[in-house]
């Protein structure tokens, strides 16, 4: 497995793990779009159904949220991402549709859909970012989704913009997922905001072999806020929406990090060259889909 310095493989950890630890590790490190195959393989390694079922019920919620899994609510035009930001004691909320719901991490079913109202203190700012974030994610990530969540603590507003994009190509023996989370914290009257981002990329290539690329990048910046307004100021809301995603603010910062990532990806492409992949295909592995 190829990975950057922020990732660590199971082989690098303590090998004296219990069967429960092994099941948990397999699930949390399952390649994108291959959870079902991983669970089937685990059954052949850990031959204790109770241990497997116990760990599945414990670990799947974490896997679902860390993978930023998108789900579709009935009556909503856009998918909502499942994350730690919109998990309220086991109940998920969707600020866009103003609904709460229960999600079964094992079956993937949605139930108990109810009306829900977001925090009014941050909603104007969250909605403004969501408008442009939806356009941005739709333009750049056709197979994925984008959601924006918010919270307020000591008069500081935090917006959490989550993005998930994936390509599942099992017939071509590869799957991949791009995830990014951008946290913006600020006081409404301040002129600057703290931006913290984390980008994750996971690609699995398994044609007669097993090659995984797991990489991540942290992005920290200070960005300017040029608009302050009251929640009822619709004109300022439009200005805020444009400002958040303009070249002088959020979008400019994202594009800069994307350029950095692009340069790194070219280096990775050189590392994972075609001759290298041909070599791995000649090395038969015991579990080619793990």
């Amino acid at each position: 497995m190829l990975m950057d310095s922020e990732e660590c493989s199971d082989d690098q950890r303590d090998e004296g793990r219990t069967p429960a630890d092994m099941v948990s590790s397999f699930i949390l490190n399952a390649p994108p779009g291959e959870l079902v195959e991983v669970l089937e393989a685990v059954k052949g390694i850990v031959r204790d159904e109770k241990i497997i079922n116990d760990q599945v019920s414990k670990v799947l919620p974490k896997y679902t949220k860390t993978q930023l899994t998108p789900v579709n609510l009935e009556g909503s035009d856009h998918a909502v991402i499942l994350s730690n930001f919109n998990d309220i004691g086991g109940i998920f909320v969707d600020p866009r549709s103003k609904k709460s719901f229960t999600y079964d991490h094992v079956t993937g079913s949605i139930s108990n859909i109810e009306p829900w109202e977001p925090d009014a203190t941050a909603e104007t700012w969250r909605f403004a970012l969501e408008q442009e974030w939806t356009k941005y994610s739709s333009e750049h990530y056709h197979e994925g989704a984008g959601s924006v969540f918010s919270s307020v603590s000591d008069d500081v507003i935090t917006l959490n913009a989550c993005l998930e994009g994936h390509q599942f190509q099992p017939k071509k023996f590869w799957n991949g997922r791009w995830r990014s989370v951008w946290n913006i914290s600020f006081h409404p009257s301040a002129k600057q905001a703290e931006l913290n981002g984390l980008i994750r990329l996971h690609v699995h290539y398994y044609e007669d072999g097993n090659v995984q690329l797991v990489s991540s990048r942290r992005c920290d910046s200070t960005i300017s806020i040029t608009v302050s307004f009251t929640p009822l100021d619709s004109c300022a809301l439009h200005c805020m929406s444009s400002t958040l995603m303009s070249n002088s603010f959020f979008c400019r910062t994202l594009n800069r990090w994307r350029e950095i990532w692009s340069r790194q990806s070219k280096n990775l492409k050189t590392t994972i060259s075609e001759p290298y992949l041909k070599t791995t295909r000649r090395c038969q592995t015991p579990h080619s889909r793990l």
Side-chain angles (χ1 to χ4, degrees), residues 145-206:
S147 294
V148 179
F149 310 107
S150 63
S151 61
V152 181
S153 178
D154 296 329
D155 296 327
V156 175
I157 294 174
T158 299
L159 305 179
N160 312 107
C162 302
L163 194 152
E164 185 272 353
H166 61 264
Q167 280 288 331
F168 299 154
Q169 301 287 343
K171 293 183 178 180
K172 297 181 181 179
F173 305 102
W174 71 270
N175 297 302
R177 171 174 280 140
W178 170 288
R179 294 168 288 158
S180 65
V181 175
W182 302 87
N183 305 309
I184 310 170
S185 298
F186 59 94
H187 191 282
S189 62
K191 298 300 182 181
Q192 289 187 325
E194 294 297 322
L195 172 64
N196 307 109
L198 177 61
I199 304 171
R200 293 185 182 275
L201 176 67
H202 189 173
V203 180
H204 186 204
Y205 180 85
Y206 51 90

Side-chain angles (χ1 to χ4, degrees), residues 128-129 131-132 135 226-227 235-251:
L129 178 57
Q131 294 295 97
E132 298 302 322
K135 296 177 184 178
T226 58
V227 178
C235 179
L237 172 62
H238 175 74
C239 293
M240 176 62 182
S241 177
S242 300
T243 304
L244 277 170
M245 298 300 288
S246 70
N247 286 336
S248 62
F249 197 79
F250 191 48
C251 192

Side-chain angles (χ1 to χ4, degrees), residues 108-287:
S109 61
I110 296 173
S111 60
N112 301 323
I113 300 178
E114 301 287 346
W116 174 82
E117 287 295 328
D119 187 330
T121 305
E123 179 56 18
T124 305
W125 298 81
R126 190 208 65 78
F127 178 77
L129 178 57
E130 179 184 76
Q131 294 295 97
E132 298 302 322
W133 189 243
T134 300
K135 296 177 184 178
Y136 179 85
S137 59
S138 299
E139 179 181 351
H140 295 285
Y141 303 91
H142 303 295
E143 299 292 335
S147 294
V148 179
F149 310 107
S150 63
S151 61
V152 181
S153 178
D154 296 329
D155 296 327
V156 175
I157 294 174
T158 299
L159 305 179
N160 312 107
C162 302
L163 194 152
E164 185 272 353
H166 61 264
Q167 280 288 331
F168 299 154
Q169 301 287 343
K171 293 183 178 180
K172 297 181 181 179
F173 305 102
W174 71 270
N175 297 302
R177 171 174 280 140
W178 170 288
R179 294 168 288 158
S180 65
V181 175
W182 302 87
N183 305 309
I184 310 170
S185 298
F186 59 94
H187 191 282
S189 62
K191 298 300 182 181
Q192 289 187 325
E194 294 297 322
L195 172 64
N196 307 109
L198 177 61
I199 304 171
R200 293 185 182 275
L201 176 67
H202 189 173
V203 180
H204 186 204
Y205 180 85
Y206 51 90
E207 184 179 5
D208 295 328
N210 180 12
V211 179
Q212 292 195 56
L213 167 64
V214 182
S215 186
S216 63
R217 174 83 188 195
R218 295 192 179 275
C219 319
D220 300 314
S221 298
T222 299
I223 49 183
S224 299
I225 299 178
T226 58
V227 178
S228 61
F229 55 90
T230 63
L232 299 180
D233 191 340
S234 59
C235 179
L237 172 62
H238 175 74
C239 293
M240 176 62 182
S241 177
S242 300
T243 304
L244 277 170
M245 298 300 288
S246 70
N247 286 336
S248 62
F249 197 79
F250 191 48
C251 192
R252 176 180 173 181
T253 305
L254 263 64
N255 286 333
R256 177 167 61 86
W257 286 114
R258 286 183 62 196
E259 290 175 2
I260 294 174
W261 188 271
S262 179
R263 289 195 296 269
Q264 291 180 335
S265 297
K266 291 179 180 179
N267 294 332
L268 289 170
K269 183 178 179 181
T270 301
T271 303
I272 315 176
S273 61
E274 185 64 25
Y276 178 82
L277 292 177
K278 288 181 178 179
T279 300
T280 61
R281 287 200 293 268
R282 289 194 291 269
C283 301
Q284 298 299 319
T285 56
H287 299 285

Side-chain angles (χ1 to χ4, degrees), residues 1-59:
M1 179 184 291
L2 299 176
M3 58 190 69
D4 66 9
S5 58
E6 293 192 13
E7 302 290 341
C8 135
S9 71
D10 290 332
D11 295 336
Q12 295 171 322
R13 299 173 186 149
D14 182 15
E15 296 182 357
R17 295 176 296 172
T18 65
D21 293 334
M22 293 178 60
V23 174
S24 175
S25 179
F26 274 121
I27 294 174
L28 292 176
N29 290 283
E34 300 175 50
L35 180 60
V36 174
E37 289 83 354
V38 167
L39 290 175
E40 286 299 317
V42 166
K43 293 178 182 179
I45 299 172
V46 179
R47 302 182 184 276
D48 189 318
E49 189 172 346
K50 184 179 185 305
I51 290 178
I52 294 175
N53 291 337
D54 287 346
Q55 289 305 303
V56 166
S57 62
K58 290 179 181 178
V59 178

